[in-house]
Amino acid sequence: MDADETRARASVVEAARGLDAQGLNRGTSGNVSLRWRDGLLITPSGIPSGRMAPEDVVFLRMDGSFDHPLSPSSEWRFHRDILQDKPAVNAVVHAHPDHGTAFAMCRQTIPAVHYMIAAVGGPTIRCSGYATFGTEELSRLALEALEDRNGCLLANHGMIATGPDLAKALWLAVEIETLCRQYAIALQVGTPVVLPDDEIARNIEKFRSYGPRPTA
C-alpha cells in the first residue's frame, strides 16, 4: 500500500466518521466509497466508523471481487454501479438520516421548495422504488432515481449523495437532509410553495461552481 492509497483510505474513514459526527448515521449503518484506480475503495461491512482504520477499507474491483479479510459494505453493488454509470462521480455516500429516511418511508419526492435543491441537479429529490438492501434490483432502482441527479432517497431505506470527491458528496448528503428537515417543518406550518422549474434551472447553473472547495 503506497502513500497515495493510504491517504485515500484515510479519507474514506474520515468521510464515514463525518456522517456520524453530523448526525446522518449511527452504528454500522451507511457506507462510503471512493473511485480508486481500476476499482473503488469502500467501507467494510459491520465495522462502526469510530473503530474503522484505513487498512479496514476494502478495495473492490469493478467485477465485484476483492482480496481482503473483511467484506465490503453490503451495498457495494449500487456504489460500483453508480461509479460505472457516472464517469464524473468519484465518491458515493449512503446514509440513514432521520428526516430523509422518514420521507423515504413515505415514498415521497421532495419538491423544489427551496433553491438549494439545485445542488441535487434538478427540481426534485426523487425517491426510488423499494428493493431488498444489497440487491441488484436496489442498484437498478437507485440508478433510475439518480438519472440527471446527484442524490436521491431510497424507499423505506435512506439516501444516496454523490460527488466528484468525498468532500462534495458529504456536503450534498448534509444538504439533502437539511432540505428534508426544512420541508417536514414547512408542512407543519402550512403549504410550502414550490419554485418554478426555470428558477431551479438558473440555480443549477450557479451551482456548477458552488460547494466546498480546498483552502488556499
Side-chain angles (χ1 to χ4, degrees):
M1 189 187 307
D2 60 26
D4 287 343
E5 183 172 350
T6 299
R7 282 191 292 270
R9 288 169 172 270
S11 70
V12 171
V13 174
E14 182 181 2
R17 291 176 178 169
L19 288 174
D20 287 359
Q22 301 197 66
L24 301 184
N25 241 22
R26 295 173 185 83
T28 60
S29 66
N31 26 77
V32 174
S33 68
L34 175 68
R35 190 188 298 276
W36 182 249
R37 294 175 181 163
D38 58 349
L40 60 145
L41 295 170
I42 187 166
T43 48
S45 178
I47 307 292
S49 65
R51 292 200 290 109
M52 196 181 299
E55 56 268 26
D56 294 328
V57 173
V58 179
F59 173 71
L60 184 76
R61 301 180 189 93
M62 286 300 185
D63 64 3
S65 65
F66 61 95
D67 299 309
H68 197 286
L70 297 175
S71 297
S73 165
S74 59
E75 301 294 11
W76 66 265
R77 285 179 179 81
F78 70 60
H79 285 264
R80 187 270 313 271
D81 292 350
I82 290 168
L83 293 174
Q84 284 187 321
D85 187 66
K86 295 176 174 286
V89 168
N90 293 310
V92 179
V93 167
H94 168 54
H96 302 165
D98 290 343
H99 293 83
T101 302
F103 280 110
M105 289 172 175
C106 297
R107 304 193 184 182
Q108 288 192 28
T109 290
I110 308 301
V113 289
H114 193 287
Y115 74 85
M116 281 296 292
I117 204 166
V120 184
T124 59
I125 302 171
R126 298 190 189 104
C127 183
S128 77
Y130 178 78
T132 304
F133 77 92
T135 60
E136 292 183 21
E137 177 66 4
L138 178 60
S139 181
R140 183 185 68 79
L141 292 169
L143 286 176
E144 287 180 2
L146 286 167
E147 184 177 356
D148 301 319
R149 297 289 191 275
N150 304 319
C152 70
L153 303 180
L154 298 175
N156 304 87
H157 189 152
M159 59 99 91
I160 294 174
T162 70
D165 53 45
L166 282 168
K168 202 76 176 279
L170 183 58
W171 169 80
L172 183 61
V174 173
E175 293 301 331
I176 291 173
E177 173 62 3
T178 299
L179 282 166
C180 290
R181 184 175 67 251
Q182 291 168 339
Y183 185 43
I185 295 169
L187 288 170
Q188 296 175 63
V189 173
T191 302
V193 176
V194 178
L195 295 169
D197 287 353
D198 61 338
E199 173 59 16
I200 299 306
R202 282 190 288 272
N203 281 280
I204 288 172
E205 288 303 311
K206 288 177 173 287
F207 270 76
R208 296 192 191 282
S209 59
Y210 191 87
R213 298 173 182 159
T215 55

Coordinates of all heavy atoms in Angstrom, one line a residue, residues 66-121:
F66 N -12.7 -9.0 -4.5 CA -11.9 -8.3 -3.6 C -11.0 -9.3 -2.9 O -11.3 -10.5 -2.8 CB -12.7 -7.5 -2.6 CG -13.6 -8.4 -1.7 CD1 -13.1 -8.8 -0.4 CD2 -14.8 -8.7 -2.1 CE1 -13.9 -9.6 0.4 CE2 -15.7 -9.5 -1.3 CZ -15.2 -10.0 -0.1
D67 N -9.8 -8.9 -2.4 CA -8.9 -9.7 -1.7 C -8.7 -9.0 -0.3 O -7.8 -8.1 -0.2 CB -7.5 -9.8 -2.4 CG -7.7 -10.5 -3.8 OD1 -8.3 -11.6 -3.8 OD2 -7.2 -10.0 -4.8
H68 N -9.5 -9.3 0.6 CA -9.4 -8.6 1.9 C -10.0 -9.5 3.0 O -11.0 -10.1 2.7 CB -10.1 -7.2 1.8 CG -9.8 -6.3 2.9 ND1 -10.2 -6.4 4.2 CD2 -9.0 -5.1 2.9 CE1 -9.8 -5.4 5.0 NE2 -9.1 -4.6 4.2
P69 N -9.5 -9.5 4.2 CA -10.1 -10.3 5.2 C -11.5 -9.8 5.6 O -12.3 -10.6 6.1 CB -9.2 -10.2 6.4 CG -8.4 -9.0 6.1 CD -8.3 -8.9 4.7
L70 N -11.8 -8.6 5.4 CA -13.2 -8.0 5.7 C -14.0 -8.0 4.4 O -13.4 -7.8 3.3 CB -13.1 -6.6 6.3 CG -12.3 -6.5 7.6 CD1 -12.2 -5.0 8.1 CD2 -13.1 -7.3 8.7
S71 N -15.3 -8.1 4.6 CA -16.2 -8.0 3.4 C -16.5 -6.5 3.2 O -16.6 -5.7 4.1 CB -17.5 -8.7 3.7 OG -17.2 -10.1 3.8
P72 N -16.7 -6.1 1.9 CA -17.2 -4.8 1.6 C -18.6 -4.5 2.1 O -19.3 -5.5 2.4 CB -17.1 -4.7 0.1 CG -17.3 -6.1 -0.4 CD -16.6 -6.9 0.7
S73 N -19.0 -3.3 2.2 CA -20.4 -3.0 2.6 C -21.3 -3.8 1.8 O -21.1 -4.1 0.6 CB -20.6 -1.5 2.3 OG -22.0 -1.2 2.3
S74 N -22.4 -4.2 2.4 CA -23.5 -5.0 1.7 C -24.1 -4.2 0.5 O -24.7 -4.8 -0.4 CB -24.6 -5.4 2.7 OG -25.2 -4.2 3.3
E75 N -23.9 -2.9 0.5 CA -24.4 -2.0 -0.6 C -23.4 -1.8 -1.7 O -23.5 -0.8 -2.5 CB -24.9 -0.7 0.0 CG -26.0 -0.8 1.0 CD -27.3 -1.4 0.5 OE1 -27.4 -1.9 -0.6 OE2 -28.3 -1.3 1.3
W76 N -22.4 -2.6 -1.8 CA -21.3 -2.4 -2.7 C -21.8 -2.3 -4.2 O -21.3 -1.6 -5.0 CB -20.2 -3.4 -2.6 CG -20.6 -4.8 -3.0 CD1 -21.0 -5.8 -2.1 CD2 -20.6 -5.4 -4.3 NE1 -21.3 -6.9 -2.8 CE2 -21.1 -6.7 -4.1 CE3 -20.3 -4.9 -5.6 CZ2 -21.2 -7.6 -5.2 CZ3 -20.5 -5.8 -6.7 CH2 -20.9 -7.1 -6.5
R77 N -22.9 -3.0 -4.4 CA -23.4 -3.0 -5.8 C -23.8 -1.7 -6.3 O -23.5 -1.3 -7.4 CB -24.6 -4.0 -6.0 CG -24.2 -5.5 -6.0 CD -25.4 -6.4 -6.1 NE -25.0 -7.8 -6.1 CZ -24.7 -8.5 -5.0 NH1 -24.8 -7.9 -3.8 NH2 -24.3 -9.7 -5.1
F78 N -24.6 -0.9 -5.5 CA -25.0 0.4 -6.1 C -23.8 1.4 -6.1 O -23.8 2.3 -6.9 CB -26.3 0.9 -5.5 CG -26.3 1.4 -4.0 CD1 -25.5 2.4 -3.6 CD2 -27.2 0.8 -3.1 CE1 -25.6 2.9 -2.3 CE2 -27.3 1.3 -1.8 CZ -26.4 2.3 -1.4
H79 N -22.9 1.2 -5.1 CA -21.7 2.1 -5.2 C -21.0 1.8 -6.5 O -20.6 2.7 -7.2 CB -20.8 1.8 -4.0 CG -21.2 2.3 -2.7 ND1 -20.8 3.5 -2.2 CD2 -22.1 1.9 -1.8 CE1 -21.3 3.8 -1.1 NE2 -22.2 2.8 -0.8
R80 N -20.7 0.5 -6.8 CA -20.0 0.2 -8.0 C -20.7 0.6 -9.3 O -20.2 1.2 -10.2 CB -19.8 -1.4 -8.0 CG -18.9 -2.0 -9.1 CD -19.7 -2.3 -10.4 NE -20.9 -3.1 -10.2 CZ -21.0 -4.4 -10.1 NH1 -19.9 -5.2 -10.2 NH2 -22.1 -5.1 -10.0
D81 N -22.1 0.4 -9.3 CA -22.8 0.7 -10.5 C -23.0 2.2 -10.7 O -23.0 2.6 -11.9 CB -24.2 0.0 -10.4 CG -24.2 -1.5 -10.4 OD1 -23.1 -2.0 -10.7 OD2 -25.2 -2.1 -10.1
I82 N -23.1 3.0 -9.6 CA -23.1 4.4 -9.8 C -21.8 4.9 -10.4 O -21.8 5.7 -11.3 CB -23.4 5.1 -8.4 CG1 -24.8 4.8 -8.0 CG2 -23.1 6.6 -8.5 CD1 -25.1 5.2 -6.5
L83 N -20.7 4.4 -9.9 CA -19.4 4.8 -10.4 C -19.2 4.4 -11.9 O -18.6 5.1 -12.7 CB -18.2 4.3 -9.5 CG -18.2 4.9 -8.1 CD1 -17.1 4.1 -7.3 CD2 -17.9 6.3 -8.1
Q84 N -19.7 3.3 -12.2 CA -19.6 2.8 -13.6 C -20.5 3.6 -14.5 O -20.2 3.9 -15.7 CB -20.0 1.3 -13.7 CG -18.9 0.4 -13.3 CD -19.3 -1.1 -13.5 OE1 -20.4 -1.5 -13.4 NE2 -18.3 -1.9 -13.9
D85 N -21.7 4.0 -14.0 CA -22.7 4.7 -14.8 C -22.4 6.2 -15.0 O -22.8 6.8 -15.9 CB -24.1 4.5 -14.2 CG -25.2 5.1 -15.1 OD1 -25.4 4.5 -16.2 OD2 -25.9 6.0 -14.7
K86 N -21.7 6.8 -14.0 CA -21.5 8.2 -13.9 C -20.0 8.5 -13.9 O -19.4 8.6 -12.8 CB -22.2 8.8 -12.7 CG -23.7 8.7 -12.8 CD -24.4 9.3 -11.5 CE -25.9 9.3 -11.6 NZ -26.4 10.4 -12.5
P87 N -19.3 8.7 -15.0 CA -17.9 9.0 -15.0 C -17.5 10.2 -14.2 O -16.3 10.3 -13.7 CB -17.6 9.2 -16.5 CG -18.7 8.5 -17.2 CD -19.9 8.7 -16.4
A88 N -18.3 11.2 -14.1 CA -18.0 12.4 -13.4 C -18.1 12.2 -11.8 O -17.6 13.1 -11.1 CB -18.9 13.6 -13.8
V89 N -18.7 11.2 -11.4 CA -18.8 10.9 -10.0 C -17.6 10.1 -9.5 O -17.2 9.0 -10.1 CB -20.1 10.1 -9.7 CG1 -20.1 9.6 -8.2 CG2 -21.3 11.0 -9.9
N90 N -16.9 10.5 -8.4 CA -15.8 9.8 -7.9 C -16.0 9.3 -6.4 O -15.2 8.6 -5.9 CB -14.5 10.6 -7.9 CG -14.1 10.9 -9.4 OD1 -14.0 9.9 -10.1 ND2 -13.8 12.1 -9.7
A91 N -17.2 9.8 -5.9 CA -17.4 9.4 -4.5 C -18.9 9.2 -4.3 O -19.7 10.0 -4.9 CB -16.9 10.5 -3.5
V92 N -19.3 8.3 -3.4 CA -20.7 8.0 -3.1 C -20.8 7.8 -1.6 O -20.0 7.1 -1.0 CB -21.1 6.6 -3.8 CG1 -22.6 6.3 -3.5 CG2 -20.9 6.7 -5.3
V93 N -21.9 8.5 -1.1 CA -22.2 8.4 0.3 C -23.6 7.9 0.5 O -24.5 8.4 -0.2 CB -22.1 9.8 1.0 CG1 -22.7 9.8 2.3 CG2 -20.6 10.2 1.0
H94 N -23.8 6.9 1.3 CA -25.1 6.4 1.6 C -25.3 6.5 3.2 O -24.5 6.1 3.9 CB -25.2 4.9 1.2 CG -26.4 4.2 1.7 ND1 -27.7 4.7 1.5 CD2 -26.6 3.1 2.4 CE1 -28.6 3.9 2.1 NE2 -27.9 2.9 2.6
A95 N -26.5 7.0 3.5 CA -26.8 7.2 5.0 C -28.3 7.0 5.2 O -29.1 6.9 4.3 CB -26.3 8.6 5.4
H96 N -28.6 6.9 6.6 CA -30.0 6.8 7.0 C -30.4 7.9 7.9 O -30.7 7.7 9.1 CB -30.1 5.5 7.8 CG -29.8 4.2 7.0 ND1 -29.6 3.0 7.6 CD2 -29.6 4.0 5.6 CE1 -29.3 2.1 6.6 NE2 -29.3 2.7 5.5
P97 N -30.3 9.2 7.5 CA -30.6 10.3 8.4 C -32.1 10.3 8.7 O -32.9 9.9 7.9 CB -30.2 11.5 7.5 CG -30.3 11.1 6.1 CD -29.9 9.6 6.1
D98 N -32.5 10.9 9.8 CA -33.9 10.8 10.3 C -34.9 11.4 9.3 O -35.9 10.7 9.0 CB -34.0 11.6 11.6 CG -33.3 10.8 12.7 OD1 -33.0 9.6 12.6 OD2 -33.0 11.5 13.8
H99 N -34.7 12.6 8.8 CA -35.7 13.3 8.0 C -35.8 12.7 6.6 O -36.9 12.4 6.1 CB -35.6 14.8 8.0 CG -35.8 15.4 9.4 ND1 -34.8 15.4 10.3 CD2 -36.9 16.0 9.9 CE1 -35.3 16.0 11.4 NE2 -36.5 16.4 11.2
G100 N -34.6 12.5 6.0 CA -34.6 11.9 4.7 C -35.2 10.5 4.7 O -36.0 10.2 3.8
T101 N -34.9 9.8 5.7 CA -35.4 8.4 5.8 C -36.9 8.4 6.1 O -37.6 7.5 5.5 CB -34.6 7.6 6.9 OG1 -33.2 7.6 6.6 CG2 -35.1 6.2 7.0
A102 N -37.4 9.4 6.8 CA -38.8 9.5 7.1 C -39.6 9.7 5.8 O -40.6 9.1 5.5 CB -39.1 10.6 8.1
F103 N -39.1 10.6 4.9 CA -39.7 10.8 3.6 C -39.6 9.6 2.8 O -40.5 9.3 2.0 CB -39.1 12.1 2.9 CG -39.7 13.4 3.5 CD1 -38.9 14.2 4.2 CD2 -41.0 13.7 3.2 CE1 -39.5 15.4 4.7 CE2 -41.6 14.9 3.7 CZ -40.8 15.8 4.5
A104 N -38.4 8.9 2.9 CA -38.3 7.7 2.1 C -39.2 6.6 2.5 O -39.8 5.8 1.7 CB -36.8 7.2 2.2
M105 N -39.5 6.6 3.9 CA -40.5 5.6 4.4 C -41.9 5.9 3.8 O -42.7 5.0 3.6 CB -40.6 5.7 5.9 CG -39.4 5.1 6.6 SD -39.5 5.5 8.4 CE -38.0 4.6 9.0
C106 N -42.2 7.2 3.6 CA -43.5 7.6 3.0 C -43.4 7.6 1.4 O -44.4 7.9 0.8 CB -43.9 9.0 3.5 SG -44.1 9.1 5.2
R107 N -42.2 7.3 0.9 CA -42.0 7.2 -0.5 C -42.4 8.5 -1.2 O -43.0 8.6 -2.3 CB -42.7 6.0 -1.2 CG -42.3 4.7 -0.5 CD -42.7 3.5 -1.3 NE -42.4 2.3 -0.5 CZ -42.6 1.0 -1.0 NH1 -43.1 0.8 -2.1 NH2 -42.2 0.0 -0.2
Q108 N -42.0 9.6 -0.6 CA -42.3 10.9 -1.1 C -41.1 11.6 -1.8 O -40.0 11.5 -1.4 CB -42.7 11.9 0.0 CG -44.1 11.6 0.6 CD -44.6 12.7 1.5 OE1 -44.2 13.8 1.3 NE2 -45.4 12.3 2.4
T109 N -41.4 12.2 -3.0 CA -40.4 13.0 -3.7 C -40.4 14.4 -3.0 O -41.4 14.9 -2.6 CB -40.8 13.2 -5.1 OG1 -40.6 11.9 -5.8 CG2 -40.0 14.2 -5.8
I110 N -39.2 14.9 -2.9 CA -39.0 16.3 -2.3 C -39.1 17.3 -3.4 O -38.3 17.3 -4.3 CB -37.7 16.4 -1.5 CG1 -37.5 15.3 -0.5 CG2 -37.6 17.8 -0.8 CD1 -38.6 15.2 0.5
P111 N -40.1 18.2 -3.4 CA -40.2 19.2 -4.5 C -39.3 20.4 -4.3 O -38.6 20.5 -3.2 CB -41.7 19.6 -4.4 CG -42.0 19.5 -2.9 CD -41.2 18.3 -2.4
A112 N -39.3 21.3 -5.2 CA -38.4 22.5 -5.2 C -39.0 23.6 -4.3 O -39.3 24.6 -4.7 CB -38.2 23.0 -6.6
V113 N -39.0 23.3 -3.0 CA -39.5 24.3 -2.0 C -38.4 25.2 -1.5 O -38.7 26.1 -0.7 CB -40.2 23.6 -0.8 CG1 -41.5 22.9 -1.3 CG2 -39.3 22.5 -0.2
H114 N -37.2 25.0 -1.9 CA -36.0 25.8 -1.6 C -35.0 25.8 -2.7 O -34.8 24.7 -3.3 CB -35.4 25.4 -0.3 CG -34.4 26.3 0.3 ND1 -33.2 26.6 -0.3 CD2 -34.5 27.1 1.4 CE1 -32.5 27.5 0.5 NE2 -33.3 27.9 1.5
Y115 N -34.4 26.9 -3.0 CA -33.5 26.9 -4.2 C -32.3 26.0 -4.0 O -31.7 25.5 -5.0 CB -33.0 28.3 -4.5 CG -32.0 28.9 -3.5 CD1 -30.6 28.6 -3.6 CD2 -32.4 29.7 -2.4 CE1 -29.7 29.1 -2.7 CE2 -31.5 30.1 -1.5 CZ -30.1 29.8 -1.7 OH -29.2 30.3 -0.8
M116 N -32.0 25.6 -2.8 CA -30.8 24.7 -2.5 C -31.0 23.3 -3.2 O -30.1 22.6 -3.3 CB -30.6 24.6 -1.1 CG -29.8 25.7 -0.4 SD -28.1 26.0 -1.1 CE -27.3 24.5 -0.5
I117 N -32.3 23.0 -3.6 CA -32.5 21.7 -4.2 C -31.7 21.6 -5.5 O -31.4 20.5 -6.0 CB -34.0 21.5 -4.5 CG1 -34.3 20.0 -4.6 CG2 -34.5 22.3 -5.7 CD1 -35.8 19.6 -4.5
A118 N -31.3 22.8 -6.1 CA -30.5 22.8 -7.3 C -29.2 22.0 -7.1 O -28.6 21.5 -8.1 CB -30.2 24.3 -7.7
A119 N -28.7 21.9 -5.9 CA -27.5 21.2 -5.6 C -27.6 19.7 -6.0 O -26.6 19.0 -6.3 CB -27.1 21.3 -4.1
V120 N -28.8 19.2 -6.0 CA -29.1 17.8 -6.4 C -29.1 17.7 -7.9 O -29.1 16.5 -8.4 CB -30.4 17.3 -5.7 CG1 -30.6 15.8 -6.0 CG2 -30.3 17.5 -4.2
G121 N -29.2 18.8 -8.6 CA -29.1 18.7 -10.1 C -30.4 18.8 -10.8 O -30.5 18.7 -12.0

